[in-house]
Amino acid sequence: MDELIDLYALKVFESVARNKSFSKAAEELFLSQPAVSQQIKSLEEQLGTKLFYRTSKEIVLTETGELLYKHAQSILNSATRLKELVSRSQQAEPAHLTIGLSYSVSAKYISKILNYVGEKHPDVNFKVVINHSNELQKIIMDLGIDFAIISGNLNYSLLVKDRIYTDKIVLLSSKANSIGSKEKVSFKDIKNQVFLFQQKGSGIRALVDKYLARYRVNPSISFEIPDTVSLLRAIEDNVGIGFLPKTLWENTPFFERLISYDLKEADLPVEINLVYHRDKVFSPLEINLINYIFSLT
């Protein structure tokens, strides 16, 4: 087989395999059922092998069909992104760019990135989505954003991460808190404190939960705070203590108004990563922006 696979036929095959139905694929692609059958026949002839077993009740992928289906969506996504990149290269600027920032890094990056894009690429329709790390990963998977800067671990095998820097999670309290006179504290010192957490879905929350479980710390009283500013304000008002990345806290007005502590038992490192779909094809603008982001560390 010397010729390349017909991408349109591959698109039809992917729809049939996913829907397990020629008629449903025809409806999804706005084709007639005979046209779908013809595309599958053409692809089978091109590959020199059957892709489906057909019975009166159902269609089943052959072993070769299973292998092709496993890679079909990735190939189609790459082709779509390559087409977008070629289209962008023919324009003075790409029409739009959407990136994501997790709550744990937004304070550090938002103003700098907005100023950079506004100055260097004023005609670009630029958007920033701020959300929890888990939600941003879902949006990348749905192709809703081009890339994101997040903390914590990846949830999907199709995502790629490039480490920007390693931060440290610190314990924060108000100056009026009873632990305020100590430079270092242990988990024993804080076990009776009220704990203020970010919502579940945050990469920082997942790491903090992991560390607390490791050292068998089970807060008797805790509250979830929906956003970082409200969390910092509640700490300042001595409602309780909280854990946040050091650079996030340092890039807020609360830097001078709260006390940070290292924990005696262990450091609490957290990776800050650039995350994108593994099939992502970056435009020149995106590459320039990413280089700028890495230069900020």
Side-chain angles (χ1 to χ4, degrees), residues 135-151:
E135 291 301 315
L136 291 175
Q137 291 183 58
K138 290 178 185 177
I139 300 173
I140 294 174
M141 292 296 296
D142 292 336
L143 307 183
I145 54 180
D146 294 291
F147 60 86
I149 305 174
I150 69 171
S151 57

Side-chain angles (χ1 to χ4, degrees), residues 207-269:
L207 288 170
V208 169
D209 284 347
K210 175 183 174 182
Y211 286 123
L212 293 180
R214 178 184 298 174
Y215 292 98
R216 300 179 182 178
V217 178
N218 185 23
S220 56
I221 303 176
S222 64
F223 299 104
E224 284 191 354
I225 310 292
D227 64 273
T228 303
V229 173
S230 297
L231 176 62
L232 288 165
R233 184 166 290 120
I235 295 172
E236 183 184 27
D237 291 340
N238 204 22
V239 176
I241 60 174
F243 294 88
L244 285 173
K246 184 177 181 182
T247 56
L248 168 60
W249 164 59
E250 289 177 342
N251 282 276
T252 70
F254 295 88
F255 178 54
E256 300 288 343
R257 289 144 50 183
L258 301 177
I259 300 175
S260 73
Y261 309 86
D262 291 327
L263 288 163
K264 292 179 180 178
E265 287 86 352
D267 288 329
L268 305 181

Side-chain angles (χ1 to χ4, degrees), residues 25-61:
E27 182 179 349
E28 180 177 275
L29 299 171
F30 301 101
L31 296 172
S32 66
Q33 191 165 330
V36 170
S37 298
Q38 181 57 44
Q39 289 294 328
I40 297 302
K41 180 181 178 182
S42 174
L43 186 59
E44 288 178 330
E45 290 176 351
Q46 186 181 14
L47 296 175
T49 185
K50 289 289 184 183
L51 298 173
F52 295 101
Y53 296 118
R54 299 166 177 83
T55 70
S56 58
K57 294 183 178 180
E58 62 180 353
I59 61 169
V60 180
L61 286 166

Side-chain angles (χ1 to χ4, degrees), residues 61-252:
L61 286 166
T62 64
E63 185 175 345
T64 303
E66 289 279 5
L67 177 64
L68 183 61
Y69 180 58
K70 180 179 178 181
H71 297 282
Q73 191 59 61
S74 176
I75 293 170
L76 292 169
N77 285 342
S78 294
T80 299
R81 287 186 170 88
L82 184 57
K83 183 179 179 182
E84 290 175 353
L85 180 58
V86 172
S87 176
R88 289 181 179 187
S89 69
Q90 296 172 341
Q91 303 171 11
E93 293 286 2
H96 56 82
L97 171 62
T98 303
I99 71 169
L101 298 175
S102 69
Y103 288 118
S104 58
V105 302
S106 59
K108 176 180 174 67
Y109 286 110
I110 184 67
S111 296
K112 296 180 177 70
I113 289 175
L114 289 175
N115 286 334
Y116 174 84
V117 175
E119 178 183 343
K120 301 291 186 180
H121 307 279
D123 297 327
V124 174
N125 182 5
F126 181 61
K127 296 180 181 178
V128 179
V129 177
I130 299 177
N131 210 322
H132 292 299
S133 295
N134 287 355
E135 291 301 315
L136 291 175
Q137 291 183 58
K138 290 178 185 177
I139 300 173
I140 294 174
M141 292 296 296
D142 292 336
L143 307 183
I145 54 180
D146 294 291
F147 60 86
I149 305 174
I150 69 171
S151 57
N153 299 317
L154 298 185
N155 301 328
Y156 302 94
S157 60
L158 293 178
L159 297 184
V160 176
K161 66 177 182 178
D162 294 332
R163 187 177 66 83
I164 302 175
Y165 67 97
T166 299
D167 204 347
K168 179 171 69 172
I169 299 175
V170 293
L171 173 67
L172 298 172
S173 82
S174 73
K175 294 181 178 180
N177 192 285
S178 60
I179 60 172
S181 61
K182 301 182 179 181
E183 293 183 2
K184 270 196 171 186
V185 298
S186 68
F187 284 110
K188 182 179 178 181
D189 294 326
I190 62 174
K191 67 178 182 179
N192 295 322
Q193 293 277 336
V194 175
F195 281 67
L196 305 178
F197 292 115
Q198 292 180 310
Q199 287 183 317
K200 288 188 180 295
S202 157
I204 299 300
R205 172 65 186 274
L207 288 170
V208 169
D209 284 347
K210 175 183 174 182
Y211 286 123
L212 293 180
R214 178 184 298 174
Y215 292 98
R216 300 179 182 178
V217 178
N218 185 23
S220 56
I221 303 176
S222 64
F223 299 104
E224 284 191 354
I225 310 292
D227 64 273
T228 303
V229 173
S230 297
L231 176 62
L232 288 165
R233 184 166 290 120
I235 295 172
E236 183 184 27
D237 291 340
N238 204 22
V239 176
I241 60 174
F243 294 88
L244 285 173
K246 184 177 181 182
T247 56
L248 168 60
W249 164 59
E250 289 177 342
N251 282 276
T252 70

